Amino acid sequence: MKYQRSSQLFKEASAVIPGGVNSPVRAFKAVGGTPIFVKKAEGAYIYDEDGNRLIDFINSWGPMILGHAFKPVVNAVVDKAKKGTSFGMPTEIETKIAALAISMVPNVDKIRFVNSGTEACMSAVRLARGYTGKEKIIKFAGCYHGHSDSFLIQAGSGAVTFGSPNSPGVTKGTAKDTLLAPYNNLNAVKHIFESNPNQIAAIIVEPVAGNMGCIPPAEGFLQGLRALCDKYKATLIFDEVMTGFRLAKGGVQELYGIKADLICFGKVIGGGLPVGAFAASDEIMSFLAPEGPVYQAGTLSGNPLAMAAGYALLEVLNKDADVYDRLAEKTAYLHQGISKALKRHKITHTINRVGSMISVHFTENTVVDFESAAHGNNDQFKKFFHGMLAAGVYIAPSAFESWFITDALTYDDLDFTIAAVESVASKL
Ligand SMILES: *Cc1c(COP(=O)(O)O)cnc(C)c1O
């Protein structure tokens, strides 16, 4: 495949946009080479500026769960756009999507819409602090909750300790309020609660992790977090920006039958437009302005185009009783095929999968947290990525990302992908 035009466009972009991209992972830094510029996309495919067709396993990092340019979403957006694109005044569509989302997700009475997953997580933490009157939060190494200051904190050499910022610009003052634990490690969390009496406002967690590859919660992990939050009167925040409306209608709460206090959304809930949201019980949400004292606002929040897109997508997901089973079956089929192909060529690997999220790790150990995810052979991943790309299959340009399966994928597409793995594996 040729990427002359993408290379030229990247050069032009780099002259006026830092690193040539508006979000870092798009820049191919982890795999080398030049990012591919998209011309258009439809269903399971991306068509790039050089005229190649690629099977897409990123799907805008999750939102396009039923495929690109999904007709009901496109039609809803076009209809709305003709009537004005933003008012800064209430519209009925905001109530409609709120009511629909609440009906699909367990344990929530009210929902507030924002413009990104970052905003959702940032606001949820502020609300948790306002509600509990406490200041510190616990997060897990390798979990991503957007780029707001409190979340850009990394673990100190495996130890559970005060975090140090992993980005310049995040102050030590902010970092000291974010406490870190390894994912799937309940004892570490228990220890943090014990050594910070009456100071923990919230635990924020990806209840199925998706930002260090896909990592399922260990048996009892989420239940344990719930119990610790109850014991120490902290709030449990499920960051379901990735998993919400993807793993089940009601997300991980439904999938594993666990009740969170605050739930963050993004990605699927916006149908491919910039949307985030956070939801909770009446009691917690009543702390939010204008009803309560915790401030949160947005000029474009609840934007009519974005709400129409999200509503159209959620409506289809809500009505289709089989969609999540179908997605899980396709993902399991892919898992088996990839596994067989890699085994045949004696490539050491671990594949993690939950529902329609899957990740391939080039390591022999099980991948249960950031440390084990980081053991993967990155050189092998780079070769794998570029090999797949050359074969016409686009996976995330980083070993630390999940693949997102869309229902637009046919079994022919999956067979094509498995054949590509087979051929790439023979050269790894
Ligand atoms: C993508 C993601 C975010 C951030 O959402 P943005 O819309 O990119 O700001 C937060 N949390 C999780 C779990 C995510 O996957």
Side-chain angles (χ1 to χ4, degrees):
M1 294 197 182
K2 290 250 161 52
Y3 288 106
Q4 266 164 337
R5 189 163 156 72
S6 274
S7 299
Q8 178 58 29
L9 288 171
F10 184 56
K11 219 169 115 195
E12 289 168 20
S14 300
V16 287
I17 300 170
V21 292
N22 281 311
S23 195
V25 75
R26 295 177 199 169
F28 276 32
K29 286 262 182 193
V31 289
T34 304
I36 291 155
F37 278 62
V38 179
K39 187 161 195 166
K40 61 171 189 175
E42 199 178 347
Y45 312 118
I46 276 176
Y47 300 85
D48 68 29
E49 289 280 1
D50 288 280
N52 305 303
R53 191 194 84 168
L54 303 167
I55 299 182
D56 184 16
F57 284 97
I58 302 190
N59 287 293
S60 187
W61 305 94
M64 322 318 285
I65 188 167
L66 300 181
H68 289 285
F70 184 59
K71 283 272 158 29
V73 171
V74 172
N75 291 342
V77 172
V78 169
D79 282 354
K80 272 283 182 239
K82 289 178 181 161
K83 295 171 187 151
T85 55
S86 179
F87 315 111
M89 294 166 73
T91 54
E92 187 183 5
I93 187 73
E94 295 164 76
T95 310
K96 283 174 80 171
I97 187 174
L100 178 57
I102 289 167
S103 76
M104 293 169 78
V105 176
N107 308 317
V108 298
D109 300 316
K110 284 193 176 142
I111 185 165
R112 168 67 57 86
F113 283 90
V114 294
N115 304 294
S116 67
T118 295
E119 267 187 78
C121 295
M122 174 188 97
S123 308
V125 163
R126 184 182 304 140
L127 181 55
R129 285 173 166 151
Y131 174 70
T132 58
K134 303 174 194 177
E135 296 200 346
K136 294 188 193 296
I137 60 167
I138 298 173
K139 89 172 271 289
F140 296 93
C143 279
Y144 181 67
H145 306 294
H147 62 92
S148 145
D149 286 2
S150 340
F151 304 129
L152 293 179
I153 312 294
Q154 72 187 358
S157 65
V160 179
T161 173
F162 286 123
S164 60
N166 66 356
S167 168
V170 177
T171 66
K172 292 189 197 79
T174 298
K176 79 171 172 34
D177 287 330
T178 300
L179 308 171
L180 273 149
Y183 197 74
N184 276 329
N185 188 333
L186 261 183
N187 274 334
V189 180
K190 210 179 285 173
H191 177 72
I192 294 176
F193 271 110
E194 282 161 4
S195 42
N196 294 271
N198 214 24
Q199 293 177 69
I200 311 292
I203 297 176
I204 185 164
V205 63
E206 288 182 65
V208 169
N211 285 289
M212 42 186 165
C214 169
I215 300 187
E219 184 90 44
F221 177 59
L222 297 175
Q223 288 88 341
L225 297 182
R226 174 73 272 169
L228 285 169
C229 283
D230 290 343
K231 179 171 174 192
Y232 291 100
K233 301 203 168 15
T235 47
L236 181 58
I237 305 175
F238 271 10
D239 176 357
E240 297 224 43
V241 170
M242 191 179 282
T243 54
F245 307 101
R246 167 164 289 278
L247 296 185
K249 268 189 220 178
V252 175
Q253 284 195 104
E254 176 188 323
L255 194 65
Y256 295 134
I258 298 184
K259 181 180 183 296
D261 300 307
L262 271 152
I263 302 101
C264 305
F265 298 103
K267 302 194 169 111
V268 175
I269 202 172
L273 270 80
V275 179
F278 56 106
S281 64
D282 246 335
E283 188 193 335
I284 294 178
M285 291 306 260
S286 71
F287 275 70
L288 202 60
E291 217 182 325
V294 176
Y295 197 69
Q296 190 281 319
T299 301
L300 291 174
S301 291
N303 172 269
L305 301 194
M307 296 296 95
Y311 183 73
L313 184 57
L314 293 195
E315 231 191 348
V316 176
L317 292 172
N318 190 40
K319 281 191 190 134
D320 187 339
D322 303 323
V323 64
Y324 294 107
D325 286 342
R326 235 169 26 238
L327 280 161
E329 275 162 29
K330 287 179 184 179
T331 313
Y333 182 85
L334 189 67
H335 181 162
Q336 273 172 11
I338 294 176
S339 190
K340 236 192 225 163
L342 292 176
K343 265 189 203 134
R344 186 149 42 232
H345 295 283
K346 303 201 165 44
I347 307 293
T348 305
H349 67 282
T350 293
I351 298 179
N352 282 357
R353 165 172 62 91
V354 178
S356 55
M357 289 160 60
I358 181 170
S359 56
V360 180
H361 304 261
F362 293 103
T363 172
E364 61 204 0
N365 60 270
T366 53
V367 175
V368 297
D369 58 12
F370 184 72
E371 213 185 310
S372 45
H375 274 153
N377 181 336
N378 206 43
D379 285 337
Q380 211 163 28
F381 177 81
K382 280 187 209 173
K383 277 190 213 151
F384 182 68
F385 170 82
H386 284 291
M388 293 300 284
L389 186 56
V393 179
Y394 192 59
I395 61 172
S398 158
F400 288 104
E401 305 286 353
S402 305
W403 308 16
F404 300 102
I405 305 309
T406 162
D407 198 37
L409 284 162
T410 63
Y411 280 86
D412 281 347
D413 294 326
L414 298 176
D415 285 337
F416 182 93
T417 304
I418 293 163
V421 172
E422 179 84 50
S423 122
V424 172
S426 70
K427 291 169 224 142
L428 278 180

